[in-house]
Amino acid sequence: MNREARVAHSRKSNSDLLAHYTQMQRVRTFEDRVGELYLRGGSAGSMLHLSIGEESAAVGVSAAMRAGDTFTTHHRGHGIFLARGADPNRMMAEIGGKETGYCRGKGGSMHIADMSLGHLGANAIVGGGIPAVVGAAMVAKRRKTGAVSIAFFGDGAMQQGILYESMNMAALWDLPAVFVCINNQWGMGTRIDQATKATRLHERAKVFGLNAETVDGLDVLDVAEAAARIVDGARTGTPGFLAVDCYRFFGHGRKDKSPYRSPEEEAEGRAKDPVLYARQMLRDSGMPLTELDAIDAEISAEMDATIDFTMQSAEPANDTMFRDVFAPDQPEPEPVRTRLDRVLARE
Amino acid sequence: MPKLAYRDALKQALVDAMREDPDIFIIGEEVGRYGGAYGVTKGLIEEFGAERLVDTPISEPAIIGTAVGAAMAGMRPVAELMYVDFIGMTMDQLCNQAAKIRYMFGGQIGVPMVLRTQGGTGRSAGAQHSQSLEAYVMHTPGLRLAMPGTVYDAYHLLRQALLQPDPVVFIEHKSLYAMTEEVDLSVPPPAWGKAVVRREGRDMVIVTYSRQVHHVMQAAETLSQAGIEVTVIDLRTLNPLDFETIRAEVEKVGRAMVVSEGAMTAGVAAELAARITEECFDYLEDPVVRVAGEDIPISVSVELEKNSVPGPALIEDTVRRMVA
Ligand SMILES: Cc1ncc(C[n+]2csc(CCOP(=O)(O)OP(=O)(O)O)c2C)c(N)n1
């Protein structure tokens, strides 16, 4: 839908749009603060992959999900998790490797998870989180929970064999599974057309028998509509695939300055800004600038607080290192030092 | 003497070898235009072109498998696996194909490829990007395994790996890339498969490799100030394993310790300790001690990561207690 038509749309879609805008702005501001945490020396390492430019994928697909649905993400998954209701403080603390983080400082940016929100885990192996949704969907189907399980991944994972094994099984068994490819055009320094000839990504899913679409990520309402079709289809037994076209605004990780792509291309890519686009639509529909600014300011304060929370949080205690290798009632692995104490005491 | 970084020594080895042997090509993710995730192949595409720096999709099993096929067809591929942590995905191509082809086919053909990768801790890269998985490789018959700990070895071991008739897994350490040394690369290297004694002492033999060489040398320095002298053996390659050097030193000193960053249980240190115990038992005054990584995944937390693997303090403390 073009912007004019959208503006003329119902009040319902307008209130949806405001909710989506707010979520997208939260994602963007959070990612911005992740960058700041790094600059302030508060992040655990520099392997931080920001989802700026991809907010409509996270928010639009999330809008089609329900409580009880499960999902996995790739390494660029902060936005998806926030859209699913994550506490930004605990997220940021995890990115800082602190004990107050979602995974007690063990996982970090690339391994955030929260079972209570259905987040079966972010993954640092490209494609690594995809097949788990087949398993989760299989269980949802057997137990008739009505839940859908969704794998989020980048265009890079389209070249991993495991995706095809997973889609094939999901289709074969009519599972409530959805595969969402956030196509930001780049995988590190490789542009999608340098990784494949078959750039019409959803065509690949179709041949396995999935409902499959590609949607432009500029307008979050378009993404939400397409996601609703695909996710609803999965809920009634036909697995789906959705590619969301967008652009990775910045480098692959915090340290990458993207020397492999031209400033012109970047300018063009960043012009497709789903957050600004939604903001403009809200303006066009008569929302006063002051109201939008007030929302932004509130989000800004919320996300500023995540940095303070993280900087004030403690490192995990050393003995927690041995916890959670196995279940809590199982003996922990013996520390090397303890073993050495025993061996050396024998002398 | 010029100062050279580990990263640049590796690059130099690739450049020199590629100039000499037109059959060598590099294949992997981000190796060409991007120049390698850790910058080792930066700029190589300008000299050698895209035919010899083959950028691939993110398809690890097919990258390794392609290298296997190209090696069988007469070329000498250097396949790059961005992180050794991804080796699990390629295990079939590496362990069932590359490692066994010469044997299964009755010696008709070998697979002269090099799999370059990097591992280890030091960047808060988390549980799936920080592992030391050399034991997986060392456990598989048919694979050679090199793990350079110095700038000089980074160059020469890679040159030698590129002359081997069989598959070599070449594991660099991510925390060493920026390390510089004054090196004279024109000094001829020890033969392929030879360990190097980096320091000699009467009190203890420490066998190690890769980054732990530096932790051990640092500990040895401190110990020396306290009058404790240790022999440090840098294995350089784990397959071939230079057990003769280990045996000779252990027989002289009578005490041995093995230091490895990989998880302790069923790891490289376990294999070495068992072998020293079996073969040098009559010379040993004490059990062979392993100082190795904890039997846990690596955390992203800076503190937990650091404490998951041996450092100079633990090595020094263990030697003191053994020698006391
Ligand atoms: C199995 C595996 N191979 C390679 C990598 C290194 N790597 C991390 S992210 C990435 C690019 C991924 O691109 P894409 O899937 O498009 O996601 P994006 O980063 O663009 O969000 C690569 C090659 C990895 N983490 N896992």
Side-chain angles (χ1 to χ4, degrees):
Chain A
M1 223 183 277
N2 67 26
R3 196 192 282 163
E4 290 71 36
R6 189 69 88 193
V7 169
H9 216 52
S10 69
R11 283 183 61 83
K12 156 88 175 74
S13 114
N14 222 1
S15 75
D16 280 354
L17 182 59
L18 182 59
H20 294 333
Y21 170 77
T22 305
Q23 284 303 332
M24 291 199 297
Q25 182 69 353
R26 286 179 77 237
V27 170
R28 178 158 302 185
T29 311
F30 180 83
E31 296 290 39
D32 176 77
R33 299 306 189 270
V34 172
E36 194 179 325
L37 186 74
Y38 166 74
L39 291 176
R40 287 175 57 177
S43 67
S46 62
M47 293 183 82
L48 306 167
H49 308 95
L50 307 185
S51 63
I52 295 178
E54 311 180 1
E55 295 86 352
S56 67
V59 172
V61 176
S62 177
M65 295 171 72
R66 293 187 195 153
D69 289 351
T70 57
F71 62 104
T72 62
T73 80
H74 57 336
H75 54 282
R76 204 177 297 282
H78 301 160
I80 299 155
F81 189 26
L82 265 180
R84 293 308 299 145
D87 170 356
N89 283 334
R90 291 180 67 200
M91 278 186 74
M92 195 63 88
E94 188 58 39
I95 291 164
K98 298 300 181 65
E99 67 167 349
T100 51
Y102 266 105
C103 308
R104 305 185 171 123
K106 283 180 167 157
S109 164
M110 297 196 290
H111 303 296
I112 287 186
D114 179 18
M115 300 310 132
S116 69
L117 290 174
H119 192 352
L120 305 182
N123 218 296
I125 301 296
V126 170
I130 293 173
V133 306
V134 178
M138 174 187 265
V139 173
K141 182 176 176 178
R142 281 196 193 170
R143 294 190 176 161
K144 301 187 171 49
T145 64
V148 167
S149 193
I150 303 188
F152 292 89
F153 48 88
D155 43 284
M158 291 300 298
Q159 275 45 265
Q160 287 285 25
I162 191 115
L163 173 62
Y164 303 93
E165 300 177 24
S166 302
M167 290 199 297
N168 186 51
M169 280 158 61
L172 181 66
W173 298 327
D174 306 314
L175 297 181
V178 173
F179 304 86
V180 175
C181 176
I182 302 179
N183 182 3
N184 64 16
Q185 315 302 319
W186 288 88
M188 291 187 74
T190 302
R191 212 177 45 226
I192 181 72
D193 62 344
Q194 295 167 333
T196 185
K197 290 261 198 225
T199 53
R200 291 171 57 81
L201 303 179
H202 68 278
E203 299 288 354
R204 306 188 195 178
K206 272 196 182 150
V207 298
F208 288 99
L210 280 74
N211 287 329
E213 293 186 33
T214 293
V215 65
D216 185 338
L218 179 62
D219 185 344
V220 66
L221 293 173
D222 287 343
V223 179
E225 277 171 22
R229 280 191 296 274
I230 295 290
V231 173
D232 290 351
R235 226 180 276 287
T236 53
T238 307
F241 173 97
L242 182 66
V244 183
D245 280 344
C246 52
Y247 191 72
R248 193 191 75 204
F249 278 22
F250 299 104
H252 169 68
R254 269 302 298 175
K255 286 183 167 168
D256 176 24
K257 304 270 186 289
S258 317
Y260 40 80
R261 59 188 197 184
S262 70
E264 294 75 38
E265 183 203 300
E266 289 200 336
E268 200 181 308
R270 289 181 194 158
K272 293 187 205 138
D273 185 328
V275 181
L276 287 186
Y277 188 85
R279 200 172 207 274
Q280 191 56 48
M281 276 199 292
L282 288 166
R283 290 280 291 127
D284 292 350
S285 69
M287 185 146 180
L289 196 55
T290 47
E291 261 179 61
L292 283 165
D293 286 346
I295 292 170
D296 291 357
E298 201 177 309
I299 292 170
S300 188
E302 179 196 14
M303 298 308 169
D304 280 344
T306 65
I307 297 191
D308 299 334
F309 180 80
T310 301
M311 299 299 265
Q312 284 157 17
S313 292
E315 285 278 336
N318 202 55
D319 61 349
T320 65
M321 187 158 85
F322 302 96
R323 204 169 294 159
D324 298 322
V325 179
F326 295 107
D329 62 344
Q330 300 291 310
E332 290 177 358
E334 184 176 33
V336 168
R337 275 182 189 277
T338 313
R339 194 182 313 210
L340 285 170
D341 283 345
R342 213 179 49 247
V343 170
L344 299 175
R346 220 181 28 215
E347 313 266 301
Chain B
M1 249 186 296
K3 271 205 158 197
L4 193 66
Y6 185 85
R7 167 190 286 128
D8 295 326
L10 293 162
K11 181 197 288 187
Q12 195 59 50
L14 291 168
V15 167
D16 291 349
M18 287 173 83
R19 285 181 187 158
E20 280 172 24
D21 181 352
D23 283 337
I24 297 176
F25 71 97
I26 298 174
I27 180 167
E29 294 157 18
E30 309 295 337
V31 294
R33 289 179 299 268
Y34 194 92
Y38 283 89
V40 172
T41 53
K42 196 159 249 147
L44 262 54
I45 196 166
E46 277 137 44
E47 175 172 351
F48 298 106
E51 280 221 343
R52 298 184 74 192
L53 277 119
V54 183
D55 281 317
T56 67
I58 308 172
S59 307
E60 285 79 6
I63 295 167
I64 305 306
T66 299
V68 171
M72 292 176 77
M75 293 192 71
R76 190 177 276 280
V78 180
E80 184 176 315
L81 191 60
M82 204 182 283
Y83 284 77
V84 76
D85 309 70
F86 314 155
I87 204 168
M89 310 178 74
T90 72
M91 229 41 175
D92 178 65
Q93 291 305 316
L94 184 65
C95 297
N96 283 329
Q97 315 304 331
K100 296 182 173 51
I101 280 169
R102 183 186 292 282
Y103 189 85
M104 289 189 301
F105 302 158
Q108 294 180 64
I109 194 165
V111 182
M113 62 175 278
V114 173
L115 192 167
R116 263 194 64 236
T117 186
Q118 57 80 27
T121 56
R123 282 204 62 208
S124 278
Q128 296 173 340
H129 279 66
S130 306
Q131 300 171 86
S132 298
L133 300 179
E134 55 271 20
Y136 292 7
V137 178
M138 195 183 186
H139 187 65
T140 304
L143 298 177
R144 300 298 189 189
L145 174 57
M147 296 191 67
T150 66
V151 173
Y152 178 88
D153 281 347
Y155 178 84
H156 282 292
L157 285 175
L158 188 48
R159 290 300 306 269
Q160 290 172 324
L162 283 164
L163 298 171
Q164 297 308 309
D166 294 306
V168 179
V169 179
F170 191 94
I171 309 180
E172 298 151 19
H173 198 294
K174 66 169 68 61
S175 292
L176 295 181
Y177 283 123
M179 174 187 73
T180 58
E181 272 172 25
E182 285 184 6
V183 278
D184 181 357
L185 294 178
S186 68
V187 173
W192 171 253
K194 274 282 174 213
V196 163
V197 177
R198 301 242 173 252
R199 189 182 174 110
E200 274 189 288
R202 60 179 182 276
D203 297 311
M204 169 75 74
V205 175
I206 306 183
V207 183
T208 189
Y209 57 94
S210 189
R211 176 176 66 156
Q212 291 297 336
V213 169
H214 302 280
H215 288 169
V216 170
M217 290 298 279
Q218 204 179 316
E221 191 57 44
T222 319
L223 288 162
S224 174
Q225 283 156 20
I228 299 171
E229 299 298 340
V230 305
T231 292
V232 179
I233 300 177
D234 176 356
L235 290 173
R236 304 169 70 249
T237 59
L238 297 173
N239 188 328
L241 178 68
D242 180 6
F243 196 75
E244 287 321 307
T245 295
I246 299 175
R247 185 205 312 281
E249 297 303 319
V250 173
E251 287 183 0
K252 274 191 253 171
V253 174
R255 262 197 212 101
M257 184 168 127
V258 187
V259 179
S260 159
E261 188 163 323
M264 181 180 267
T265 298
V268 169
E271 166 60 25
L272 294 171
R275 183 133 181 221
I276 295 168
T277 305
E278 273 178 354
E279 299 205 23
C280 309
F281 189 74
D282 292 343
Y283 294 85
L284 290 171
E285 290 169 34
D286 291 310
V288 181
V289 166
R290 289 172 290 164
V291 175
E294 300 288 353
D295 287 326
I296 60 175
I298 307 292
S299 287
V300 80
S301 143
V302 178
E303 280 301 305
L304 297 194
E305 179 190 35
K306 188 164 61 130
N307 294 329
S308 298
V309 299
L314 178 63
I315 297 162
E316 184 199 321
D317 182 54
T318 308
V319 173
R320 272 182 202 279
R321 291 164 68 189
M322 284 181 75
V323 171

